[in-house]
Amino acid sequence: MPAPLSFPFDNTYARDLPGFAVPWQPAAAPAPRLLHFNPSLARELGLPLADATPDDLAALFSGNTLPEGASPIAQAYAGHQFGQFSPQLGDGRALLLGEVIDGQGRRRDIAFKGSGPTPFSRRGDGKAAVGPMLREVLIGEAMHALGIPTTRALAVVATGEQVRRERPLPGAILTRVADSHLRVGTFEFFAAHAGPDQVRRLADYAIARHYPELAGADNPYLELLRAVAARQSSLVAQWMAVGFIHGVMNTDNMSIAGETIDYGPCAFMEAYDPATVFSAIDRQGRYAYHHQPDIAAWNLARFAETLLPLIDDNTERAVARATASIQVFSERYRQHWLKEMGAKLGLPPLTEADAALAEDWLELLQAQSVDFTLAWRYLGEAAAGEEGRLSSLFADGAALDAWLQRWRQHCAAADRAGDEAGASGTTRATRTAAMAQTNPWLMPRNHQVEAALDAAEQGDLTPFHRLLGALAEPCREQPRYADLAEPAPREFMRTFQTFCGT
Ligand code: AMP
Ligand code: MG
């Protein structure tokens, strides 16, 4: 027997916050088989896996042989799900193995998802299926490649066991890396069950770990609220800019560190419609694309409620101060959105005065059901006078031409302003190049994701690995991946639904 691997763990959550989690062990996996492993992420984390064989990795990432230094815990949390408070959620199918400090000095969680029942499982089996775990890999890595803060997948192992869903499915465990697994719902759990002293300990922990610059502030808890609101405002603006629909923005799926977390029923927009909802369980459209900023603000209000006793002894004053802080979200969100839209249009950050340029473009896409990703991408070509691919997306060319004329005026005005400021002049080519760095060519197309996962479930991982490889460079147009860049057939999108908790 080789010596068990040792990870350089330093497990502050398990050590410094007793009572916030339950020590627990993963269930045994009968026949683990490695489906996915990210060696460069392992290196980034300083894990000694360079010589590990696929069998070693399968044993490790199934939980059958835990690395030395792990202190697996199931974390407690609560959450508002679709607006209703659930006082007791928690890691029902996840375990935090521990934390490591990565090459950048950043503390990262390493956690399992699908590793068996825990005291928080309620009626669930604690398990996960191959398809949804590989889906988390594809979407999470696509987000990472797009530069959007996200948890990442280190490995996926098939357990060799069937999990019982609507039909039996092959079981799997995902190993997830996150800045932390602190959620708005973690604060809600301790506010509901334990009171302000425990919330304060959690808040102090969150500040030390994610916002150390706030430690000496006059009112660090108010500042924490503002800081989380600020990070979420930037995150959600980035989602909107790439057409990402999270699908289940419950407060237990909102990270205090500001990462995208919990890839369940998420999917990307194809033909642009702001009311798009993919999740089968989101019947009211609560988490539709265009509701995401408001939902983030709503979730932040739930976060604020947990902090009120720490913000001020006087409740009225605490509420007034927290409310003012949450308003930061809407203002910041708007600024981030204007900046994102400016970059996507090949312009400086938009001002309120020219926000209509972006809004009217989006309206045009909606009116003609134009593919969101390709429209932006081909707009960059139009900056260099190549309008062929762009106009082929639009049925009504006159409406497009009218808008393009306005856009060209904005481009010319921005160029003049740049010249006056002595900036090196924007040429048509530099605008096109900049837009090609901002507007991805390749996104995880829903039909391609489904096809890759179906094949994986049948034992063929080739389409999965090809798609994953292609998504690593979403802005680079590579002819060999042209099929992956095609929008899904209309017929597919008409009935496409996503599912969570599977
Ligand atoms: P999610 O919708 O994945 O964010 O999960 C919401 C809650 O349900 C969390 O507390 C999960 O741990 C729990 N959960 C989801 N799926 C399962 C499962 N198969 N077994 C036990 N708990 C689960
Ligand atoms: Mg969740």
Side-chain angles (χ1 to χ4, degrees):
M1 257 309 256
L5 285 164
S6 174
F7 284 6
F9 280 124
D10 176 39
N11 302 333
T12 56
Y13 200 87
R15 189 175 63 221
D16 302 344
L17 292 173
F20 284 68
V22 182
W24 205 254
Q25 292 293 315
R33 194 165 53 85
L34 188 69
L35 301 183
H36 167 70
F37 174 60
N38 184 336
S40 77
L41 180 57
R43 272 195 304 278
E44 185 182 316
L45 297 172
L47 306 183
L49 297 175
D51 300 325
T53 65
D55 282 349
D56 295 337
L57 296 172
L60 193 62
F61 293 117
S62 63
N64 283 1
T65 56
L66 285 178
E68 256 179 43
S71 40
I73 51 174
Q75 290 176 297
Y77 57 85
H80 278 83
Q81 301 186 300
F82 290 91
Q84 297 298 315
F85 186 56
S86 301
Q88 173 116 4
L89 294 169
D91 284 338
R93 57 165 173 173
L95 287 177
L96 173 60
L97 296 185
E99 305 145 32
V100 296
I101 311 287
D102 71 13
Q104 309 287 316
R106 197 163 123 204
R107 181 177 294 277
R108 315 273 290 270
D109 275 6
I110 302 179
F112 284 156
K113 182 165 172 181
S115 49
T118 75
F120 300 110
S121 295
R122 293 167 293 157
R123 286 185 298 280
D125 60 2
K127 304 288 170 76
V130 164
M133 296 306 101
L134 292 181
R135 198 159 189 283
E136 174 147 351
V137 178
L138 286 173
I139 311 276
E141 289 306 286
M143 294 290 269
H144 175 73
L146 290 163
I148 300 177
T150 177
T151 64
R152 295 191 67 190
L154 178 62
V156 176
V157 170
T159 57
E161 181 180 62
Q162 298 277 301
V163 296
R164 290 169 62 169
R165 297 293 181 263
E166 275 177 16
R167 59 191 166 94
L169 294 172
I173 296 173
L174 167 79
T175 301
R176 176 158 85 181
V177 176
D179 273 355
S180 82
H181 284 79
L182 292 176
R183 309 146 189 270
V184 168
T186 318
F187 283 80
E188 291 180 284
F189 183 91
F190 291 96
H193 299 290
D197 287 343
Q198 293 290 74
V199 177
R200 186 189 310 273
R201 292 181 62 198
L202 186 62
D204 288 340
Y205 179 87
I207 290 170
R209 184 159 173 179
H210 299 304
Y211 303 93
E213 67 282 6
L214 306 181
D218 278 350
N219 193 330
Y221 309 111
L222 189 67
E223 294 301 325
L224 175 64
L225 176 59
R226 291 174 67 93
V228 173
R231 275 196 204 172
Q232 287 293 335
S233 67
S234 145
L235 180 67
V236 176
Q238 290 181 80
W239 290 358
M240 301 301 276
V242 297
F244 177 73
I245 302 160
H246 184 284
V248 60
M249 286 178 73
N250 294 333
T251 56
D252 51 305
N253 293 336
M254 185 187 258
S255 155
I256 297 299
E259 287 181 321
T260 312
I261 190 167
D262 242 337
Y263 293 95
C266 58
F268 288 90
M269 185 81 80
E270 300 238 352
Y272 181 69
D273 176 358
T276 301
V277 178
F278 291 123
S279 169
I281 57 166
D282 190 2
R283 296 216 170 77
Q284 312 289 321
R286 179 180 171 89
Y287 299 139
Y289 172 80
H290 63 160
H291 289 161
Q292 295 185 119
D294 286 345
I295 290 291
W298 191 90
N299 289 349
L300 288 165
R302 306 290 78 72
F303 180 43
E305 283 163 5
T306 73
L307 297 173
L308 289 178
L310 313 185
I311 288 174
D312 202 305
D313 290 338
N314 175 309
T315 307
E316 243 172 68
R317 252 195 334 253
V319 169
R321 301 183 77 179
T323 307
S325 292
I326 293 177
Q327 276 158 5
V328 167
F329 176 86
S330 306
E331 290 155 23
R332 293 269 187 112
Y333 171 76
R334 184 74 180 167
Q335 293 310 314
H336 286 299
W337 186 83
L338 289 169
K339 184 161 150 254
E340 295 282 343
M341 289 300 119
K344 289 180 80 70
L345 289 166
L347 295 169
L350 300 183
T351 61
E352 278 303 339
D354 44 35
L357 184 70
E359 285 156 356
D360 293 348
W361 165 250
L362 292 173
E363 233 169 75
L364 190 61
L365 300 189
Q366 184 184 1
Q368 302 199 37
S369 291
V370 178
D371 185 78
F372 184 74
T373 301
L374 292 183
W376 286 108
R377 179 75 184 188
Y378 295 163
L379 182 62
E381 296 174 358
E386 299 281 335
E387 276 172 32
R389 292 210 290 186
L390 179 65
S391 49
S392 74
L393 301 175
F394 290 79
D396 171 5
L400 172 65
D401 288 343
W403 182 87
L404 281 175
Q405 208 174 353
R406 281 169 61 201
W407 174 62
R408 291 221 171 79
Q409 285 162 5
H410 278 83
C411 292
D415 295 348
R416 277 196 304 278
D419 288 345
E420 278 160 29
S424 53
T426 312
T427 63
R428 284 153 46 127
T430 54
R431 172 165 288 117
T432 295
M435 290 175 75
Q437 287 308 304
T438 306
N439 295 314
W441 173 68
L442 192 69
M443 297 294 285
R445 294 286 179 180
N446 297 306
H447 65 305
Q448 297 291 358
V449 171
E450 295 308 305
L453 301 184
D454 285 348
E457 214 179 282
Q458 303 300 318
D460 177 9
L461 286 162
T462 316
F464 166 79
H465 284 125
R466 176 169 182 256
L467 184 53
L468 185 61
L471 290 169
E473 288 185 284
C475 291
R476 188 167 144 219
E477 186 162 341
Q478 301 185 68
R480 65 187 166 130
Y481 293 137
D483 58 315
L484 300 178
E486 289 287 316
R490 291 267 151 122
E491 190 49 31
F492 176 92
M493 291 310 295
R494 214 171 48 75
T495 54
F496 176 62
Q497 282 201 317
T498 55
F499 300 89
C500 62
T502 47

